[in-house]
Amino acid sequence: MLSTPRLSPTSYLVLGLLARDGPSTPYALKRQVAATLGHFWSFPHALLYAEPPRLVKLGLATETQELQGRRRRTFTITPAGVSAVQQWLLRPSHDSTELRDPGLLQLYFADLGSAETPRIIIREQLAIHRAKLKEYEERASSQRSVRGTAGAVGQLEEWHGHSLRMGTLYERAAVAFWEEMASETADDGAAPGDRRDEPLIA
Amino acid sequence: MLSTPRLSPTSYLVLGLLARDGPSTPYALKRQVAATLGHFWSFPHALLYAEPPRLVKLGLATETQELQGRRRRTFTITPAGVSAVQQWLLRPSHDSTELRDPGLLQLYFADLGSAETPRIIIREQLAIHRAKLKEYEERASSQRSVRGTAGAVGQLEEWHGHSLRMGTLYERAAVAFWEEMASETADDGAAPGDRRDEPLIA
DNA sequence: GGGTACATGTAATCAGTTACATGATTTA
DNA sequence: TAAATCATGTAACTGATTACATGTACCC
């Protein structure tokens, strides 16, 4: 397989799902994504309808369509597709993580607002990230309890769980970050720039 | 100011920089971004050339161009632009953080490769994130030492520092995550799915 | 004075996003 | 059977990415 013109993360997402779950409709992909990576890496459903046809054009998948009823389109990965994923798996992604946080962007510009602006932003973001963290942790504990009754889960689910674990760790870091911001901005009247670093021996 | 048609994060980035730094060329914006948010939220330079003209069309900025030499284009924020930023600052961003990590995507599909695939991915990602973390921490400590000699820095630089601090926290979380993955995959022969959760009392 | 790195910009493409639209199923 | 929700898809737009291209300053 000579280098197919650069595939995007979206391409590999779709290829990977097709490889793992077998022939799928875009809707099935959507479901799968929403339950896992979709929590912190959004792939709007239109993307998952648009990507498979691209893969077909590249010979990495094939398409069949129902003739009656919903006329669902089902996509199947080709051997070329499988080998594309496998090669990609072994090619280290040097593209670094994109951490696109609108709240952080606001904080970055907080000095352009009024004196209360930073506090408002921080309070909001703290609430948002705490909620998200809680959601992750609840999901994790419900997973665990299912496993508790049913015994060990397969390796597949375990890998799925990993992505959420990263999400959890990120949210924990985010909560810690915003809490730190909150304490620096606590209304002792001092603006963040006024304090010393390491005010206490850590 | 009636609702300008939805502005993107990029719009606010540019508006914010124009508001803070005064009239700027796209190149100046590029420099500024590269030194701060650009570390974890990429804004390719072409974007920073494309966005200001959009803002001009919306009446949020104005443009002047040198007539000789490099014919640089300089953009200035308008009062409408300033008020747009300020309103945005007070409107909580409910859009949640996008955490787009290609390495994590690979891990998610690691089971599609060979038996060694997970280990390879994990090793690579661990190296990458450790390097990035080190870079952040060195940058932070050099900042501190500058401050140590020159006294307190302005509030501006402090806010700038915040974004990098979030970057640092994220990288720490990432390193912790990949280390955890590494230890789960340590070659005791067990695949991750085979182990119990909480094998030891933590 | 020639090379190298910085500075500056545009054009073409393509991916991602929003919006729209409708068919099928479930539930009240 | 009406309402609500799930399922399925397309079209239009526009923002993001890549690639190209050239000018200017600095270094040896």
Side-chain angles (χ1 to χ4, degrees):
Chain A
M1 187 62 22
L2 296 175
S3 61
T4 37
R6 285 298 167 243
L7 298 173
S8 67
T10 307
S11 312
Y12 291 111
L13 174 70
V14 171
L15 284 175
L17 290 174
L18 292 181
R20 187 143 63 196
D21 303 343
S24 310
T25 66
Y27 187 73
L29 300 177
K30 175 196 142 153
R31 297 293 307 263
Q32 195 61 28
V33 172
T36 55
L37 290 176
H39 284 282
F40 48 83
W41 185 339
S42 72
F43 294 94
H45 82 282
L47 246 191
L48 303 177
Y49 281 88
E51 187 62 29
R54 278 176 217 156
L55 298 176
V56 170
K57 242 187 295 191
L58 296 172
L60 305 175
T62 58
E63 172 181 3
T64 62
Q65 183 159 20
E66 282 182 354
L67 294 177
Q68 72 280 54
R70 302 196 166 191
R71 302 186 51 76
R72 286 196 202 81
R73 311 169 75 185
T74 297
F75 295 87
T76 305
I77 194 168
T78 64
V82 172
S83 92
V85 195
Q86 284 173 342
Q87 287 180 28
W88 163 72
L89 282 173
L90 296 176
R91 194 169 51 241
S93 294
H94 283 110
D95 303 333
S96 76
T97 308
E98 290 284 325
L99 190 59
R100 303 183 178 180
D101 185 340
L104 198 54
L105 187 62
Q106 289 186 325
L107 178 66
Y108 182 64
F109 288 119
D111 61 305
L112 297 176
S114 67
E116 321 94 78
T117 301
R119 259 189 293 276
I120 296 172
I121 293 172
I122 291 167
R123 175 161 33 79
E124 281 294 336
Q125 292 301 314
L126 196 42
I128 290 172
H129 287 285
R130 277 181 176 150
K132 193 97 196 246
L133 177 58
K134 191 169 156 219
E135 181 196 324
Y136 281 148
E137 286 177 336
E138 276 163 6
R139 181 179 308 269
S141 73
S142 76
Q143 296 274 104
R144 248 197 309 281
S145 67
V146 167
R147 180 180 321 179
T149 61
V153 294
Q155 188 168 341
L156 290 194
E157 287 77 17
E158 191 67 21
W159 289 119
H160 294 182
H162 291 331
S163 54
L164 291 184
R165 218 179 315 167
M166 179 71 243
T168 307
L169 283 187
Y170 165 71
E171 290 299 340
R172 265 205 259 284
V175 167
F177 171 77
W178 291 103
E179 278 172 349
E180 192 185 346
M181 292 300 112
S183 73
E184 289 187 14
T185 316
D187 57 4
D188 51 12
D194 298 340
R195 69 179 260 287
R196 290 281 147 280
D197 254 335
E198 270 79 56
L200 305 168
I201 305 292
Chain B
M1 189 63 23
L2 297 172
S3 62
T4 38
R6 283 300 165 240
L7 297 174
S8 66
T10 306
S11 312
Y12 289 112
L13 173 70
V14 171
L15 285 175
L17 290 174
L18 292 180
R20 187 144 63 198
D21 303 344
S24 311
T25 66
Y27 187 71
L29 300 176
K30 176 197 142 157
R31 296 294 308 265
Q32 195 60 28
V33 172
T36 55
L37 290 175
H39 284 282
F40 48 83
W41 185 339
S42 72
F43 294 94
H45 83 281
L47 246 191
L48 303 178
Y49 281 87
E51 186 63 28
R54 277 177 217 154
L55 299 175
V56 170
K57 242 188 294 193
L58 297 172
L60 305 176
T62 59
E63 172 180 1
T64 62
Q65 183 158 21
E66 281 183 352
L67 294 177
Q68 73 280 54
R70 301 198 167 191
R71 302 185 52 75
R72 286 195 201 82
R73 312 168 76 184
T74 298
F75 296 87
T76 305
I77 194 168
T78 63
V82 172
S83 93
V85 194
Q86 284 174 341
Q87 287 181 28
W88 164 72
L89 281 173
L90 295 176
R91 195 170 48 241
S93 296
H94 282 108
D95 304 333
S96 77
T97 306
E98 289 283 324
L99 190 58
R100 303 183 178 181
D101 185 339
L104 198 53
L105 188 61
Q106 289 185 326
L107 179 66
Y108 183 63
F109 287 119
D111 62 304
L112 298 176
S114 68
E116 321 95 78
T117 300
R119 259 189 294 277
I120 295 172
I121 293 173
I122 291 167
R123 174 161 33 79
E124 280 295 335
Q125 293 301 314
L126 196 44
I128 290 171
H129 287 284
R130 277 181 176 151
K132 194 96 196 246
L133 177 58
K134 193 170 153 217
E135 179 197 325
Y136 281 148
E137 286 177 337
E138 277 164 7
R139 181 178 309 269
S141 72
S142 74
Q143 297 273 103
R144 248 197 308 282
S145 66
V146 166
R147 179 180 323 180
T149 61
V153 294
Q155 190 169 340
L156 291 193
E157 287 77 15
E158 190 68 22
W159 288 118
H160 294 181
H162 290 333
S163 54
L164 290 185
R165 209 162 344 152
M166 180 70 242
T168 307
L169 284 187
Y170 166 71
E171 289 299 339
R172 264 205 259 283
V175 168
F177 172 77
W178 291 104
E179 279 173 348
E180 192 186 346
M181 290 303 112
S183 73
E184 288 187 13
T185 317
D187 57 5
D188 53 8
D194 298 340
R195 69 179 260 288
R196 289 282 148 278
D197 254 336
E198 273 79 56
L200 305 167
I201 304 295

